Amino acid sequence: MKNSLHTGPVRTGPVRVDPVRVGSLRRGALWLAWRQQRVLAGIGAAVLAAAVAIAAYYRSGMLDALHSGLFDHCGTGPLYCTRTDTGQLLVLDIAPLQYLGMVNIALPVLIGVFWGAPLLGRDRELGTHRMVLAQGISRSQWFASRFGLAAATTVALSGLLAGVFSWWWRPAADRSYGLFWYDSTALSGSGPRVVAAALFGLAAGTLLGLLARRVLAAMGLALLVTGVTTLLLEWTHRTRLLVSPHTYVSAGIVPKAPMGDKWSTGHYGLITASGRHDDVLKCAFPSGADLRECMAQHGYVSRFYEANPAGDYWTFQWTDTAVLGGLALLFTAATMLLLRRRV
């Protein structure tokens, strides 16, 4: 009886296995990163949508008030403006605008704590990163997929929020009834420094998430680092540590030029013929014969005050952007160097 099974030549030698494509691994890592971050991205999109809706509503009311004619007689500068008929103080409702500025200032703290710290720290704490790396994904790909997606989303969210603030603010910028450029919510809540600050928060949280053993510990450290850095930068604004003020001089007892939209340091004084600067209390008289007599008695030939002009808004912006952006790059580089030791 013949065997009904077909027998053929048996192939020998190594078995060829189709290689796994690197591109598919990268797409898989990116897809997994999106799965893990989509909730946070959705929350960010919801916050942005709410900010746009609120800004559109209140800005429309602001424009209606400005077009009513009530503010036409108001000049520029910090002097308050009143109604011509009742003498009532004229101000716009800028409180919601300031709240948005506060949100923008708090972005590095919020992103660092709730996005940066768990970005790598959650996988390390649960050990799930080992399963991902076992699929042929390198540490660099694992980090790049997660951090790259988070960074791109952070740039988009922070940039749009800063843009919404500027769009809402411009109709009443640097007016007594609006908001001046040196107000903390305007100076720190708008412009490119918002984007740099958000990236700094993400990078700081990511590094701390890699270093700490527990995500909660990393979140606490991220809160401390980003919060202290934010407060320190606000302190440098008030003290003019990084952006020096300008000195404005008026000869003799001639009154100083109107302050306008300058940001005064509160430092006023008198200058002798030799160029020595003394405090204004040396001759505490605003004007008139008493001031002239005091200045002549002490040899003062002019008066001065220190302030930052409105153009320094951009100097503050780019200085903060350089500091925060530099810290973000430093923390990101440190994270990449520590990946092999910690993961």
Side-chain angles (χ1 to χ4, degrees):
M1 181 179 178
K2 294 184 179 180
N3 190 346
S4 60
L5 295 176
H6 173 74
T7 59
V10 178
R11 294 183 180 180
T12 60
V15 178
R16 187 180 69 179
V17 179
D18 292 335
V20 179
R21 295 182 179 178
V22 175
S24 63
L25 290 177
R26 290 176 180 171
R27 288 193 295 270
L30 187 60
W31 176 85
L32 182 58
W34 167 248
R35 293 275 297 180
Q36 293 178 330
Q37 300 180 46
R38 60 183 177 178
V39 173
L40 289 171
I43 293 174
V47 170
L48 176 61
V52 170
I54 294 172
Y57 175 78
Y58 280 99
R59 188 178 187 273
S60 176
M62 179 187 294
L63 291 176
D64 289 342
L66 292 174
H67 293 158
S68 67
L70 286 175
F71 297 84
D72 290 350
H73 67 286
C74 298
T76 60
L79 297 178
Y80 289 109
C81 185
T82 58
R83 290 179 63 109
T84 55
D85 51 353
T86 64
Q88 183 181 2
L89 186 65
L90 283 173
V91 291
L92 294 170
D93 184 11
I94 60 169
L97 172 63
Q98 291 177 306
Y99 293 147
L100 176 59
M102 293 176 188
V103 170
N104 288 350
I105 294 172
L107 274 182
V109 180
L110 297 173
I111 291 175
V113 172
F114 297 106
W115 204 322
L119 191 64
L120 304 182
R122 181 69 67 190
D123 278 354
R124 286 197 67 243
E125 182 178 345
L126 300 177
T128 51
H129 65 288
R130 297 188 182 91
M131 179 182 65
V132 176
L133 297 177
Q135 305 302 313
I137 297 175
S138 67
R139 290 177 176 85
S140 298
Q141 291 171 347
W142 177 66
F143 169 73
S145 60
R146 278 158 176 72
F147 189 80
L149 179 61
T153 308
T154 295
V155 169
L157 174 63
S158 58
L160 289 171
L161 284 174
V164 170
F165 182 94
S166 297
W167 173 71
W168 185 357
W169 171 42
R170 282 304 163 195
D174 300 335
R175 296 293 188 273
S176 62
Y177 49 80
L179 191 66
F180 281 88
W181 66 270
Y182 49 77
D183 186 274
S184 294
T185 54
L187 186 58
S188 301
S190 64
R193 67 103 51 203
V194 176
V195 179
L199 285 174
F200 155 72
L202 178 67
T206 302
L207 176 60
L208 293 169
L210 185 64
L211 292 173
R213 293 180 179 273
R214 296 288 182 268
V215 172
L216 283 178
M219 293 173 75
L221 290 172
L223 175 63
L224 177 64
V225 171
T226 56
V228 168
T229 303
T230 300
L231 292 176
L232 279 176
L233 278 177
E234 293 300 315
W235 174 76
T236 64
H237 293 170
R238 292 193 299 271
T239 59
R240 321 301 162 91
L241 182 65
L242 301 179
V243 181
S244 300
H246 298 228
T247 300
Y248 297 87
V249 179
S250 57
I253 65 169
V254 176
K256 65 179 179 63
M259 185 68 67
D261 53 10
K262 301 183 187 74
W263 185 15
S264 173
T265 63
H267 187 199
Y268 301 83
L270 304 125
I271 306 175
T272 65
S274 63
R276 189 182 76 246
H277 288 55
D278 288 342
D279 191 86
V280 70
L281 294 179
K282 292 288 185 177
C283 287
F285 307 102
S287 60
D290 291 334
L291 175 62
R292 183 182 293 108
E293 181 181 352
C294 180
M295 290 181 66
Q297 181 181 355
H298 292 86
Y300 296 125
V301 296
S302 57
R303 296 190 290 173
F304 77 93
Y305 71 94
E306 294 179 351
N308 291 91
D312 278 355
Y313 166 83
W314 288 108
T315 307
F316 279 101
Q317 282 286 320
W318 293 120
T319 300
D320 284 4
T321 299
V323 171
L324 293 165
L327 288 174
L329 290 174
L330 178 64
F331 290 160
T332 303
T335 302
M336 296 175 65
L337 291 174
L338 291 171
L339 272 176
R340 292 190 175 276
R341 296 184 179 182
R342 293 280 175 171
V343 177

